[in-house]
């Protein structure tokens, strides 16, 4: 059977995305800071279908509606469940292996609370991918860890810079 993987990354400074950001960094209690989240999906040996990438937003985090994607669909925000969901009908074999992966970018804004001072604020809970292998019919799954203001994927941010300040 095939293998489909996904990676979730968050950035504060993301000029390459073309999405304008606002807010202070390090994050400050009671003030909004905007981030971009990148979901990168690669598919290996077989075609897959019915792909869903999803993650929930914490209560202190809002969806801005700014979104881009390299494929035919974009992530949408389901307000009732507080989930960001990207539905992809089909991904051909080797997408992202021999050519560019699928990528979706969306913007969120977070407002830290006083209880988070000195800590990194969670800005997106664990991301999961589910798909169906079109050759075997088996379910495929991939997961990535929650994202925080630690912003380990942002080269413009120092390791401890994302801790919430008063």
């Amino acid at each position: 059977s095939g293998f489909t993987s996904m990676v979730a990354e968050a950035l504060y400074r993301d000029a390459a995305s073309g999405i304008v950001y606002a807010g202070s960094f390090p994050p400050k209690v009671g003030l909004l800071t905007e981030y971009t989240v990148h979901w990168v999906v690669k598919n290996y040996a077989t075609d897959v279908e019915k792909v869903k990438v999803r993650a929930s937003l914490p209560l202190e985090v809002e969806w801005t509606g700014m979104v881009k994607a390299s494929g035919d669909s974009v992530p949408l925000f389901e307000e009732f469940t507080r989930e960001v969901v990207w539905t992809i009908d089909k991904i051909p074999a080797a997408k992202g292996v021999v050519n560019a992966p699928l990528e979706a970018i969306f913007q969120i804004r977070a407002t830290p609370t006083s209880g988070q001072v000195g800590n990194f604020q969670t800005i997106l809970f664990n991301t999961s991918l589910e798909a169906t292998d079109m050759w075997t019919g088996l379910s495929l799954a991939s997961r990535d860890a929650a994202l925080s203001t630690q912003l380990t994927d942002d080269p413009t941010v120092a390791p401890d810079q994302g801790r919430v300040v008063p």
Side-chain angles (χ1 to χ4, degrees), residues 9-92:
E9 301 175 339
L11 304 170
Y12 172 63
R13 294 176 188 90
D14 190 10
S17 73
I19 297 176
V20 179
Y21 62 91
S24 64
F25 202 81
K28 293 181 182 176
V29 171
L31 297 179
L32 292 172
T33 300
E34 294 176 337
Y35 306 92
T36 54
V37 174
H38 292 243
W39 281 343
V40 180
V41 176
K42 293 180 181 180
N43 186 40
Y44 295 83
T46 62
D47 293 349
V48 296
E49 65 180 352
K50 302 175 188 166
V51 181
K52 281 203 187 258
V53 181
R54 66 177 64 224
S56 296
L57 297 180
L59 291 176
E60 307 86 19
V61 178
E62 302 171 36
W63 172 261
T64 70
M66 296 295 299
V67 63
K68 295 180 173 191
S70 61
D72 295 334
S73 64
V74 297
L76 301 172
F77 182 61
E78 296 181 0
E79 201 168 326
F80 182 72
T81 61
R82 298 196 48 75
E83 278 188 313
V84 180
V85 180
W86 185 21
T87 303
I88 306 164
D89 291 333
K90 180 181 174 184
I91 305 174

Side-chain angles (χ1 to χ4, degrees), residues 1 22 41 91 111 128:
S1 72
V41 176
I91 305 174
T111 306
S128 66

Side-chain angles (χ1 to χ4, degrees), residues 64-137:
T64 70
M66 296 295 299
V67 63
K68 295 180 173 191
S70 61
D72 295 334
S73 64
V74 297
L76 301 172
F77 182 61
E78 296 181 0
E79 201 168 326
F80 182 72
T81 61
R82 298 196 48 75
E83 278 188 313
V84 180
V85 180
W86 185 21
T87 303
I88 306 164
D89 291 333
K90 180 181 174 184
I91 305 174
K95 180 69 176 164
V97 179
V98 297
N99 52 19
L102 285 175
E103 182 174 15
I105 304 168
F106 57 92
Q107 185 183 57
I108 54 177
R109 68 173 56 110
T111 306
T113 63
S114 59
Q116 296 167 324
V117 170
N119 297 311
F120 298 109
Q121 179 185 16
T122 299
I123 57 174
L124 188 73
F125 291 123
N126 295 348
T127 301
S128 66
L129 175 145
E130 296 173 352
T132 301
D133 184 312
M134 293 178 69
W135 189 62
T136 64

